[in-house]
Protein backbone atom coordinates (compact mmCIF):
# COMPACT_ATOMS: atom_id res chain seq x y z
CA UNK A 1 0.00 0.00 0.00
CA UNK A 2 1.43 3.37 -0.97
CA UNK A 3 1.69 6.23 1.53
CA UNK A 4 -1.16 8.47 0.17
CA UNK A 5 -3.69 5.66 0.45
CA UNK A 6 -2.61 4.86 4.08
CA UNK A 7 -2.96 8.51 5.07
CA UNK A 8 -6.41 8.65 3.55
CA UNK A 9 -7.53 5.65 5.61
CA UNK A 10 -6.19 7.09 8.89
CA UNK A 11 -7.93 10.43 8.27
CA UNK A 12 -11.20 8.68 7.51
CA UNK A 13 -11.08 6.61 10.72
CA UNK A 14 -10.33 9.70 12.80
CA UNK A 15 -13.18 11.60 11.24
CA UNK A 16 -15.54 8.75 11.93
CA UNK A 17 -14.51 8.73 15.62
CA UNK A 18 -15.11 12.46 15.95
CA UNK A 19 -18.54 12.13 14.39
CA UNK A 20 -19.34 9.31 16.78
CA UNK A 21 -18.38 11.29 19.86
CA UNK A 22 -20.33 14.35 18.72
CA UNK A 23 -23.33 12.21 17.99
CA UNK A 24 -23.15 10.56 21.43
CA UNK A 25 -23.02 13.91 23.15
CA UNK A 26 -25.92 15.26 21.10
CA UNK A 27 -28.09 12.20 21.53
CA UNK A 28 -27.07 11.49 25.18
CA UNK A 29 -25.89 14.57 27.10
CA UNK A 30 -23.64 14.26 30.26
CA UNK A 31 -25.21 13.10 33.57
CA UNK A 32 -26.38 15.97 35.80
CA UNK A 33 -23.83 17.15 38.35
CA UNK A 34 -26.32 16.84 41.27
CA UNK A 35 -29.08 14.24 41.52
CA UNK A 36 -31.22 12.36 44.06
CA UNK A 37 -31.07 15.31 46.47
CA UNK A 38 -33.60 14.96 49.27
CA UNK A 39 -34.43 15.32 52.96
CA UNK A 40 -35.87 11.94 53.89
CA UNK A 41 -38.33 13.38 56.44
CA UNK A 42 -40.22 16.60 55.87
CA UNK A 43 -40.54 17.31 59.61
CA UNK A 44 -38.32 16.80 62.68
CA UNK A 45 -38.67 17.53 66.41
CA UNK A 46 -35.09 17.70 67.73
CA UNK A 47 -35.48 17.27 71.49
CA UNK A 48 -33.53 14.04 72.12
CA UNK A 49 -36.65 12.04 72.92
CA UNK A 50 -35.83 9.44 70.28
CA UNK A 51 -38.84 10.27 68.12
CA UNK A 52 -38.40 12.21 64.85
CA UNK A 53 -35.19 13.76 66.16
CA UNK A 54 -33.34 13.52 62.86
CA UNK A 55 -33.77 13.25 59.13
CA UNK A 56 -31.39 11.87 56.52
CA UNK A 57 -30.03 14.07 53.75
CA UNK A 58 -29.04 12.24 50.57
CA UNK A 59 -27.57 13.34 47.27
CA UNK A 60 -25.39 12.09 44.42
CA UNK A 61 -22.55 13.82 42.56
CA UNK A 62 -21.62 12.86 39.03
CA UNK A 63 -18.38 14.81 39.26
CA UNK A 64 -16.27 16.39 42.03
CA UNK A 65 -17.76 19.59 43.40
CA UNK A 66 -18.04 21.84 46.42
CA UNK A 67 -21.29 21.21 48.29
CA UNK A 68 -23.29 23.62 50.46
CA UNK A 69 -26.42 22.75 52.42
CA UNK A 70 -28.40 25.69 53.79
CA UNK A 71 -31.81 26.42 55.27
CA UNK A 72 -33.85 29.63 55.10
CA UNK A 73 -36.99 30.34 57.10
CA UNK A 74 -39.97 32.39 56.05
CA UNK A 75 -38.43 35.54 57.55
CA UNK A 76 -35.37 35.21 55.36
CA UNK A 77 -33.01 34.10 58.13
CA UNK A 78 -30.26 31.93 56.71
CA UNK A 79 -28.59 28.93 58.43
CA UNK A 80 -25.63 26.91 57.16
CA UNK A 81 -25.21 23.16 57.67
CA UNK A 82 -22.45 22.61 55.10
CA UNK A 83 -20.44 25.44 53.60
CA UNK A 84 -18.64 24.78 50.27
CA UNK A 85 -17.16 21.47 51.40
CA UNK A 86 -15.19 19.59 48.75
CA UNK A 87 -16.61 16.22 47.71
CA UNK A 88 -15.64 13.66 45.08
CA UNK A 89 -18.19 11.99 42.81
CA UNK A 90 -20.45 9.42 44.45
CA UNK A 91 -23.48 8.92 46.64
CA UNK A 92 -23.74 10.74 49.97
CA UNK A 93 -25.88 10.40 53.07
CA UNK A 94 -25.73 12.48 56.27
CA UNK A 95 -27.93 12.74 59.35
CA UNK A 96 -29.42 16.14 60.16
CA UNK A 97 -30.85 16.93 63.60
CA UNK A 98 -31.40 20.64 63.21
CA UNK A 99 -27.86 21.48 64.34
CA UNK A 100 -26.08 24.15 62.30
CA UNK A 101 -23.07 26.40 62.77
CA UNK A 102 -23.18 28.58 65.84
CA UNK A 103 -25.10 31.86 65.82
CA UNK A 104 -26.66 34.32 68.25
CA UNK A 105 -30.08 35.90 68.09
CA UNK A 106 -30.74 39.61 68.16
CA UNK A 107 -30.33 40.96 71.69
CA UNK A 108 -28.47 37.89 73.02
CA UNK A 109 -25.31 38.35 75.06
CA UNK A 110 -24.12 34.83 75.76
CA UNK A 111 -20.94 33.91 77.67
CA UNK A 112 -18.56 31.88 75.56
CA UNK A 113 -18.52 30.83 71.93
CA UNK A 114 -21.63 29.13 70.51
CA UNK A 115 -20.12 26.63 68.10
CA UNK A 116 -23.22 24.65 67.15
CA UNK A 117 -26.90 25.36 67.74
CA UNK A 118 -30.38 24.14 66.87
CA UNK A 119 -32.33 26.15 64.31
CA UNK A 120 -35.53 27.61 65.79
CA UNK A 121 -38.95 26.06 65.34
CA UNK A 122 -40.11 27.18 61.89
CA UNK A 123 -40.73 26.12 58.31
CA UNK A 124 -37.60 26.13 56.16
CA UNK A 125 -36.63 25.93 52.54
CA UNK A 126 -33.60 23.73 52.32
CA UNK A 127 -31.11 24.02 49.45
CA UNK A 128 -28.37 21.64 48.37
CA UNK A 129 -25.96 23.26 45.95
CA UNK A 130 -23.05 21.65 44.08
CA UNK A 131 -20.52 23.77 42.24
CA UNK A 132 -17.22 23.29 40.43
CA UNK A 133 -15.24 25.34 37.93
CA UNK A 134 -17.54 24.49 35.03
CA UNK A 135 -21.06 24.13 36.37
CA UNK A 136 -23.49 24.73 39.22
CA UNK A 137 -26.53 22.68 40.24
CA UNK A 138 -28.94 22.83 43.11
CA UNK A 139 -32.05 21.24 44.55
CA UNK A 140 -34.47 22.45 47.24
CA UNK A 141 -37.44 21.41 49.34
CA UNK A 142 -39.25 22.11 52.62
CA UNK A 143 -38.46 21.08 56.20
CA UNK A 144 -40.59 21.81 59.26
CA UNK A 145 -38.88 21.98 62.70
CA UNK A 146 -41.13 21.65 65.77
CA UNK A 147 -40.73 21.05 69.52
CA UNK A 148 -36.98 21.73 69.41
CA UNK A 149 -35.24 21.76 72.81
CA UNK A 150 -33.41 24.96 72.02
CA UNK A 151 -32.17 25.76 75.56
CA UNK A 152 -28.41 26.15 75.25
CA UNK A 153 -25.91 24.39 77.58
CA UNK A 154 -24.66 27.75 78.81
CA UNK A 155 -21.51 27.84 80.96
CA UNK A 156 -22.50 30.80 83.11
CA UNK A 157 -19.44 30.64 85.37
CA UNK A 158 -15.89 29.69 84.39
CA UNK A 159 -13.00 30.48 86.75
CA UNK A 160 -9.33 29.48 86.91
CA UNK A 161 -7.42 29.99 90.15
CA UNK A 162 -4.60 30.70 90.38
CA UNK A 163 -3.75 31.89 86.88
CA UNK A 164 -0.17 30.67 87.34
CA UNK A 165 0.90 27.54 89.18
CA UNK A 166 4.05 25.55 89.82
CA UNK A 167 3.34 21.81 89.68
CA UNK A 168 6.40 20.45 91.50
CA UNK A 169 5.00 19.16 94.83
CA UNK A 170 6.67 21.86 96.89
CA UNK A 171 3.40 22.75 98.61
CA UNK A 172 3.37 26.25 97.08
CA UNK A 173 0.92 26.94 94.21
CA UNK A 174 1.04 23.25 93.30
CA UNK A 175 -2.56 23.01 92.13
CA UNK A 176 -5.05 24.95 90.07
CA UNK A 177 -8.78 24.93 90.68
CA UNK A 178 -11.19 25.32 87.77
CA UNK A 179 -14.90 25.84 88.41
CA UNK A 180 -17.59 25.47 85.75
CA UNK A 181 -21.30 26.10 86.20
CA UNK A 182 -23.69 24.45 83.73
CA UNK A 183 -27.15 25.93 83.20
CA UNK A 184 -28.29 22.70 81.50
CA UNK A 185 -27.23 19.07 81.73
CA UNK A 186 -24.57 18.40 79.09
CA UNK A 187 -21.40 16.46 78.37
CA UNK A 188 -18.62 18.56 79.89
CA UNK A 189 -14.90 18.37 79.20
CA UNK A 190 -12.10 20.60 80.45
CA UNK A 191 -8.56 20.53 79.13
CA UNK A 192 -5.37 22.49 78.61
CA UNK A 193 -3.98 23.00 75.12
CA UNK A 194 -0.51 24.20 74.14
CA UNK A 195 0.63 25.98 70.99
CA UNK A 196 1.11 22.62 69.23
CA UNK A 197 -2.52 21.69 70.05
CA UNK A 198 -1.43 18.99 72.51
CA UNK A 199 -4.27 18.50 74.97
CA UNK A 200 -4.14 17.66 78.69
CA UNK A 201 -7.55 16.61 80.01
CA UNK A 202 -8.58 17.32 83.61
CA UNK A 203 -10.52 15.01 85.89
CA UNK A 204 -13.57 16.30 87.72
CA UNK A 205 -13.64 16.22 91.52
CA UNK A 206 -16.36 13.94 92.87
CA UNK A 207 -18.81 16.09 94.82
CA UNK A 208 -21.98 14.00 94.80
CA UNK A 209 -23.10 15.49 91.49
CA UNK A 210 -22.94 13.25 88.43
CA UNK A 211 -20.70 14.38 85.58
CA UNK A 212 -22.66 16.58 83.20
CA UNK A 213 -25.47 17.40 85.63
CA UNK A 214 -26.74 20.93 85.76
CA UNK A 215 -24.88 22.93 88.40
CA UNK A 216 -21.33 23.51 89.57
CA UNK A 217 -18.44 21.27 88.55
CA UNK A 218 -14.94 21.54 89.98
CA UNK A 219 -11.70 20.38 88.40
CA UNK A 220 -8.48 20.09 90.38
CA UNK A 221 -5.22 19.92 88.41
CA UNK A 222 -1.74 19.10 89.68
CA UNK A 223 -0.02 18.66 86.33
CA UNK A 224 0.06 14.88 86.88
CA UNK A 225 2.89 15.15 89.42
CA UNK A 226 0.91 13.40 92.17
CA UNK A 227 0.68 10.36 89.89
CA UNK A 228 4.44 10.41 89.33
CA UNK A 229 4.17 11.98 85.87
CA UNK A 230 6.16 14.84 84.43
CA UNK A 231 3.92 17.90 84.16
CA UNK A 232 3.47 19.81 80.89
CA UNK A 233 6.40 22.05 79.99
CA UNK A 234 6.59 25.53 81.45
CA UNK A 235 4.68 28.06 79.40
CA UNK A 236 1.25 29.54 78.79
CA UNK A 237 -1.71 27.29 78.00
CA UNK A 238 -5.28 27.84 76.89
CA UNK A 239 -7.88 26.22 79.14
CA UNK A 240 -11.06 25.10 77.41
CA UNK A 241 -14.40 24.17 78.96
CA UNK A 242 -16.73 22.55 76.40
CA UNK A 243 -20.39 21.72 77.06
CA UNK A 244 -22.48 19.79 74.51
CA UNK A 245 -26.08 18.79 75.17
CA UNK A 246 -27.98 15.75 73.89
CA UNK A 247 -29.25 17.71 70.90
CA UNK A 248 -25.70 18.54 69.79
CA UNK A 249 -25.59 22.19 70.81
CA UNK A 250 -22.07 23.10 71.89
CA UNK A 251 -20.67 26.06 73.80
CA UNK A 252 -17.00 26.71 74.51
CA UNK A 253 -15.41 28.96 77.09
CA UNK A 254 -11.70 29.56 77.39
CA UNK A 255 -9.09 31.16 79.60
CA UNK A 256 -5.35 31.09 80.13
CA UNK A 257 -3.09 29.31 82.60
CA UNK A 258 0.66 29.66 83.02
CA UNK A 259 2.97 26.91 84.29
CA UNK A 260 6.29 27.84 85.89
CA UNK A 261 8.97 25.77 87.61
CA UNK A 262 7.07 22.59 86.90
CA UNK A 263 8.74 19.24 87.35
CA UNK A 264 8.75 15.91 89.12
CA UNK A 265 10.82 16.21 92.33
CA UNK A 266 13.54 13.56 92.54
CA UNK A 267 15.58 13.45 95.72
CA UNK A 268 17.46 10.71 97.55
CA UNK A 269 19.92 9.96 100.31
CA UNK A 270 23.04 8.72 98.56
CA UNK A 271 25.75 6.43 99.82
CA UNK A 272 28.97 7.89 101.19
CA UNK A 273 32.09 7.50 99.13
CA UNK A 274 33.11 4.71 101.51
CA UNK A 275 31.32 2.90 104.25
CA UNK A 276 27.65 2.97 105.11
CA UNK A 277 24.90 5.28 103.88
CA UNK A 278 24.74 7.17 107.19
CA UNK A 279 27.74 8.07 109.33
CA UNK A 280 27.08 7.79 113.08
CA UNK A 281 29.32 8.83 115.97
CA UNK A 282 28.97 9.99 119.56
CA UNK A 283 29.87 13.30 121.19
CA UNK A 284 29.61 14.78 124.64
CA UNK A 285 26.63 17.07 125.23
CA UNK A 286 27.16 20.84 125.47
CA UNK A 287 24.46 22.98 127.12
CA UNK A 288 25.15 25.72 124.54
CA UNK A 289 23.45 23.58 121.89
CA UNK A 290 20.11 23.52 123.73
CA UNK A 291 17.42 24.63 121.27
CA UNK A 292 13.77 25.41 121.97
CA UNK A 293 11.00 27.18 120.07
CA UNK A 294 12.15 30.49 121.56
CA UNK A 295 15.88 29.92 121.65
CA UNK A 296 18.26 28.79 118.96
CA UNK A 297 21.19 26.97 120.45
CA UNK A 298 24.63 26.60 118.95
CA UNK A 299 24.96 24.32 115.95
CA UNK A 300 27.42 21.48 116.18
CA UNK A 301 30.09 21.34 113.44
CA UNK A 302 29.79 18.81 110.66
CA UNK A 303 31.61 15.58 111.57
CA UNK A 304 34.81 14.93 109.65
CA UNK A 305 34.24 11.20 109.27
CA UNK A 306 32.94 9.60 106.10
CA UNK A 307 32.97 6.02 107.31
CA UNK A 308 31.62 4.05 110.22
CA UNK A 309 31.68 0.31 110.59
CA UNK A 310 28.58 -1.63 111.47
CA UNK A 311 29.56 -2.68 115.00
CA UNK A 312 27.34 -1.59 117.84
CA UNK A 313 27.84 2.09 118.64
CA UNK A 314 27.96 2.81 122.38
CA UNK A 315 26.65 6.15 123.60
CA UNK A 316 26.91 7.25 127.20
CA UNK A 317 23.49 8.18 128.53
CA UNK A 318 23.05 11.95 128.17
CA UNK A 319 25.54 12.26 125.31
CA UNK A 320 24.83 12.89 121.65
CA UNK A 321 24.14 10.47 118.82
CA UNK A 322 25.54 12.39 115.85
CA UNK A 323 24.78 11.57 112.21
CA UNK A 324 25.87 12.75 108.79
CA UNK A 325 24.54 11.85 105.34
CA UNK A 326 24.38 13.19 101.79
CA UNK A 327 21.22 14.34 99.98
CA UNK A 328 21.12 14.64 96.19
CA UNK A 329 18.53 16.48 94.09
CA UNK A 330 18.95 14.44 90.92
CA UNK A 331 15.86 15.85 89.21
CA UNK A 332 15.26 18.88 87.01
CA UNK A 333 13.26 20.97 89.46
CA UNK A 334 14.20 22.75 92.72
CA UNK A 335 12.91 21.10 95.89
CA UNK A 336 11.72 23.01 98.93
CA UNK A 337 12.91 22.37 102.46
CA UNK A 338 12.37 23.83 105.94
CA UNK A 339 14.38 23.90 109.15
CA UNK A 340 15.74 23.32 111.58
CA UNK A 341 18.98 23.47 109.65
CA UNK A 342 21.85 20.98 109.82
CA UNK A 343 23.84 21.07 113.05
CA UNK A 344 20.76 21.43 115.27
CA UNK A 345 20.70 19.29 118.42
CA UNK A 346 17.47 17.73 119.72
CA UNK A 347 16.77 16.56 123.25
CA UNK A 348 15.34 13.04 123.24
CA UNK A 349 11.89 14.25 124.35
CA UNK A 350 11.76 17.02 121.75
CA UNK A 351 10.46 16.82 118.23
CA UNK A 352 10.41 19.22 115.30
CA UNK A 353 7.16 20.87 116.38
CA UNK A 354 8.56 21.71 119.83
CA UNK A 355 11.24 23.71 118.03
CA UNK A 356 8.57 25.61 116.09
CA UNK A 357 9.40 23.74 112.87
CA UNK A 358 5.94 22.40 112.07
CA UNK A 359 5.07 20.18 109.13
CA UNK A 360 4.66 22.10 105.86
CA UNK A 361 3.08 20.05 103.06
CA UNK A 362 5.45 19.65 100.14
CA UNK A 363 8.63 20.39 102.08
CA UNK A 364 11.49 17.88 102.22
CA UNK A 365 13.40 16.98 105.37
CA UNK A 366 15.82 14.37 106.63
CA UNK A 367 14.68 12.52 109.73
CA UNK A 368 16.27 10.29 112.35
CA UNK A 369 14.29 7.54 114.06
CA UNK A 370 15.07 5.04 116.81
CA UNK A 371 13.22 2.07 118.23
CA UNK A 372 12.45 4.01 121.42
CA UNK A 373 11.37 7.24 119.70
CA UNK A 374 8.03 8.59 120.89
CA UNK A 375 6.77 9.19 117.33
CA UNK A 376 7.75 8.47 113.74
CA UNK A 377 10.85 10.45 112.74
CA UNK A 378 10.44 13.00 115.55
CA UNK A 379 13.84 14.59 114.82
CA UNK A 380 14.06 16.32 111.46
CA UNK A 381 16.44 18.65 109.61
CA UNK A 382 16.51 20.64 106.37
CA UNK A 383 18.06 18.79 103.43
CA UNK A 384 20.94 21.26 103.13
CA UNK A 385 22.70 23.99 105.11
CA UNK A 386 21.20 27.45 104.75
CA UNK A 387 24.09 28.79 102.66
CA UNK A 388 23.52 26.09 100.01
CA UNK A 389 19.85 26.86 99.51
CA UNK A 390 18.21 29.29 97.10
CA UNK A 391 15.88 31.75 98.83
CA UNK A 392 12.61 32.84 97.22
CA UNK A 393 10.60 35.59 98.86
CA UNK A 394 6.81 35.49 98.51
CA UNK A 395 5.53 39.06 98.83
CA UNK A 396 1.88 37.98 98.94
CA UNK A 397 2.31 35.87 102.08
CA UNK A 398 5.45 37.62 103.42
CA UNK A 399 7.37 34.38 103.68
CA UNK A 400 10.73 33.15 102.40
CA UNK A 401 11.00 29.68 100.88
CA UNK A 402 14.22 27.65 100.66
CA UNK A 403 15.10 25.42 97.70
CA UNK A 404 17.85 22.92 96.91
CA UNK A 405 18.71 23.50 93.23
CA UNK A 406 18.55 20.74 90.61
CA UNK A 407 21.69 18.60 90.54
CA UNK A 408 22.91 19.83 93.94
CA UNK A 409 24.33 17.55 96.64
CA UNK A 410 24.37 18.60 100.26
CA UNK A 411 25.69 17.22 103.55
CA UNK A 412 23.15 17.01 106.36
CA UNK A 413 24.13 16.43 109.95
CA UNK A 414 22.73 16.86 113.43
CA UNK A 415 22.39 15.12 116.77
CA UNK A 416 19.94 13.68 119.28
CA UNK A 417 20.73 13.68 122.99
CA UNK A 418 20.02 10.15 124.24
CA UNK A 419 18.80 10.66 127.78
CA UNK A 420 16.29 7.80 128.01
CA UNK A 421 17.57 4.29 128.67
CA UNK A 422 14.98 1.55 128.19
CA UNK A 423 16.55 -1.72 129.36
CA UNK A 424 14.12 -3.84 127.33
CA UNK A 425 15.24 -2.07 124.14
CA UNK A 426 18.96 -1.67 124.66
CA UNK A 427 20.68 -1.90 122.29
CA UNK A 428 18.26 -0.44 119.80
CA UNK A 429 18.38 0.45 116.11
CA UNK A 430 18.57 4.04 114.86
CA UNK A 431 18.31 5.04 111.20
CA UNK A 432 17.65 7.88 108.77
CA UNK A 433 14.76 8.62 106.42
CA UNK A 434 13.90 11.09 103.65
CA UNK A 435 10.51 12.67 104.18
CA UNK A 436 8.38 14.54 101.65
CA UNK A 437 5.96 15.98 104.15
CA UNK A 438 2.28 15.20 103.72
CA UNK A 439 3.22 13.35 100.53
CA UNK A 440 5.27 10.28 101.46
CA UNK A 441 8.37 9.00 103.19
CA UNK A 442 10.55 7.95 100.29
CA UNK A 443 13.42 6.28 102.14
CA UNK A 444 12.24 4.85 105.41
CA UNK A 445 15.19 2.94 106.91
CA UNK A 446 18.53 4.17 105.62
CA UNK A 447 21.84 3.25 107.29
CA UNK A 448 20.29 1.45 110.26
CA UNK A 449 22.82 1.16 113.11
CA UNK A 450 22.66 -0.68 116.41
CA UNK A 451 23.13 1.75 119.30
CA UNK A 452 23.70 0.80 122.93
CA UNK A 453 23.16 3.36 125.68
CA UNK A 454 25.63 2.96 128.52
CA UNK A 455 24.66 4.33 131.95
CA UNK A 456 26.36 7.58 132.77
CA UNK A 457 28.69 8.03 135.73
CA UNK A 458 25.80 9.18 137.94
CA UNK A 459 23.78 6.06 137.04
CA UNK A 460 26.54 3.47 137.53
CA UNK A 461 26.31 1.06 140.45
Amino acid sequence: MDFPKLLTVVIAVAALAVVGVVGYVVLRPPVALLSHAAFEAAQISPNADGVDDVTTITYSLARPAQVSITLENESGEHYVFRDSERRTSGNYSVMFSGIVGGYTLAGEDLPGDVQTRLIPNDTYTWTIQAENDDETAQASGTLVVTNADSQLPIISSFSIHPGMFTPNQDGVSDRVDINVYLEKAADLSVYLEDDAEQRYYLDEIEQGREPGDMGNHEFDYDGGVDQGLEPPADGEYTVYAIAQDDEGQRIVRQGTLAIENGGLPQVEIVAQTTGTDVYFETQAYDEATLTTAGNRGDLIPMPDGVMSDLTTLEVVQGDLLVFKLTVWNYGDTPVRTIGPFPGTVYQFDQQYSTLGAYVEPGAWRVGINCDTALSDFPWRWAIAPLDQLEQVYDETHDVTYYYLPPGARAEVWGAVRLTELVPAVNPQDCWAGLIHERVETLQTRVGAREVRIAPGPDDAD
Side-chain angles (χ1 to χ4, degrees):
M1 180 180 298
D2 57 29
F3 182 75
K5 291 183 178 180
L6 177 60
L7 180 59
T8 301
V9 171
V10 170
I11 293 173
V13 171
L16 183 61
V18 171
V19 171
V21 169
V22 171
Y24 177 83
V25 171
V26 171
L27 297 176
R28 186 175 180 179
V31 175
L33 174 62
L34 176 67
S35 62
H36 304 102
F39 275 50
E40 184 178 79
Q43 178 172 308
I44 58 172
S45 55
N47 51 26
D49 65 354
V51 179
D52 297 329
D53 288 327
V54 299
T55 184
T56 302
I57 303 173
T58 59
Y59 62 92
S60 298
L61 291 176
R63 288 167 293 283
Q66 291 178 315
V67 175
S68 297
I69 303 176
T70 59
L71 300 102
E72 185 175 331
N73 64 14
E74 294 176 339
S75 301
E77 294 166 325
H78 193 74
Y79 301 92
V80 178
F81 179 59
R82 294 288 186 267
D83 187 13
S84 297
E85 296 191 4
R86 188 175 298 277
R87 296 289 185 265
T88 61
S89 58
N91 300 319
Y92 289 89
S93 175
V94 61
M95 306 296 287
F96 179 66
S97 62
I99 291 292
V100 296
Y103 64 91
T104 54
L105 300 174
E108 284 186 327
D109 183 16
L110 301 175
D113 176 27
V114 182
Q115 291 193 337
T116 59
R117 189 172 184 176
L118 281 171
I119 56 178
N121 294 329
D122 212 331
T123 299
Y124 294 87
T125 297
W126 57 259
T127 300
I128 302 175
Q129 178 172 297
E131 182 178 11
N132 58 29
D133 293 339
D134 302 316
E135 53 191 327
T136 299
Q138 68 177 33
S140 61
T142 300
L143 176 70
V144 177
V145 178
T146 63
N147 299 320
D149 180 8
S150 57
Q151 180 188 357
L152 287 168
I154 293 173
I155 301 173
S156 56
S157 175
F158 176 57
S159 64
I160 304 169
H161 182 79
M164 184 279 290
F165 83 126
T166 57
N168 54 22
Q169 281 190 330
D170 68 349
V172 181
S173 300
D174 277 339
R175 317 186 78 86
V176 62
D177 185 73
I178 299 173
N179 279 280
V180 177
Y181 195 94
L182 286 177
E183 296 291 344
K184 177 186 181 182
D187 289 334
L188 176 64
S189 61
V190 176
Y191 60 85
L192 277 64
E193 186 173 277
D194 61 21
D195 291 339
E197 299 185 351
Q198 172 70 41
R199 294 180 179 180
Y200 303 88
Y201 284 88
L202 279 61
D203 292 326
E204 183 175 345
I205 297 176
E206 294 185 8
Q207 299 177 305
R209 175 173 285 122
E210 292 297 321
D213 279 356
M214 184 181 71
N216 188 68
H217 298 265
E218 186 174 357
F219 296 79
D220 175 65
Y221 186 53
D222 65 353
V225 178
D226 286 356
Q227 291 76 46
L229 305 174
E230 284 287 347
D234 288 0
E236 188 167 288
Y237 293 79
T238 302
V239 183
Y240 292 96
I242 301 177
Q244 181 167 314
D245 63 17
D246 290 341
E247 290 72 39
Q249 300 182 110
R250 184 167 66 248
I251 286 185
V252 178
R253 293 198 65 174
Q254 66 183 70
T256 58
L257 175 67
I259 295 178
E260 294 183 4
N261 297 322
L264 187 65
Q266 295 175 307
V267 189
E268 66 181 8
I269 297 171
V270 299
Q272 299 178 83
T273 54
T274 59
T276 60
D277 293 336
V278 181
Y279 172 80
F280 285 106
E281 68 173 31
T282 183
Q283 291 182 18
Y285 174 64
D286 184 345
E287 287 286 348
T289 64
L290 177 64
T291 296
T292 64
N295 176 70
R296 178 181 295 179
D298 291 346
L299 302 178
I300 62 170
M302 182 176 69
D304 293 331
V306 295
M307 178 177 179
S308 61
D309 58 33
L310 296 179
T311 58
T312 299
L313 179 67
E314 187 167 291
V315 181
V316 175
Q317 186 176 5
D319 280 353
L320 302 181
L321 174 65
V322 181
F323 79 94
K324 184 181 73 170
L325 53 79
T326 302
V327 171
W328 178 30
N329 178 4
Y330 64 95
D332 296 324
T333 188
V335 292
R336 187 168 73 91
T337 191
I338 56 174
F341 292 101
T344 300
V345 173
Y346 282 90
Q347 303 295 313
F348 182 85
D349 60 356
Q350 289 180 321
Q351 59 179 359
Y352 51 88
S353 60
T354 61
L355 303 189
Y358 300 97
V359 165
E360 293 187 19
W364 294 76
R365 286 198 281 196
V366 165
I368 292 293
N369 212 356
C370 292
D371 288 334
T372 58
L374 301 180
S375 61
D376 195 31
F377 290 110
W379 312 299
R380 300 183 183 185
W381 293 261
I383 61 174
L386 180 59
D387 61 2
Q388 296 181 33
L389 297 171
E390 295 179 347
Q391 300 185 32
V392 177
Y393 178 65
D394 183 343
E395 294 183 358
T396 303
H397 301 95
D398 189 25
V399 62
T400 298
Y401 298 112
Y402 300 93
Y403 290 86
L404 182 65
R409 292 176 182 249
E411 302 295 336
V412 182
W413 71 96
V416 180
R417 187 184 182 199
L418 299 182
T419 55
E420 303 299 319
L421 192 160
V422 181
V425 194
N426 193 33
Q428 64 179 310
D429 282 347
C430 293
W431 60 90
L434 183 62
I435 303 149
H436 193 185
E437 296 190 336
R438 295 287 173 85
V439 180
E440 62 180 324
T441 301
L442 279 85
Q443 292 172 280
T444 60
R445 195 178 177 91
V446 180
R449 182 74 180 276
E450 190 174 73
V451 177
R452 180 181 179 274
I453 301 177
D458 295 339
D459 299 312
D461 293 332

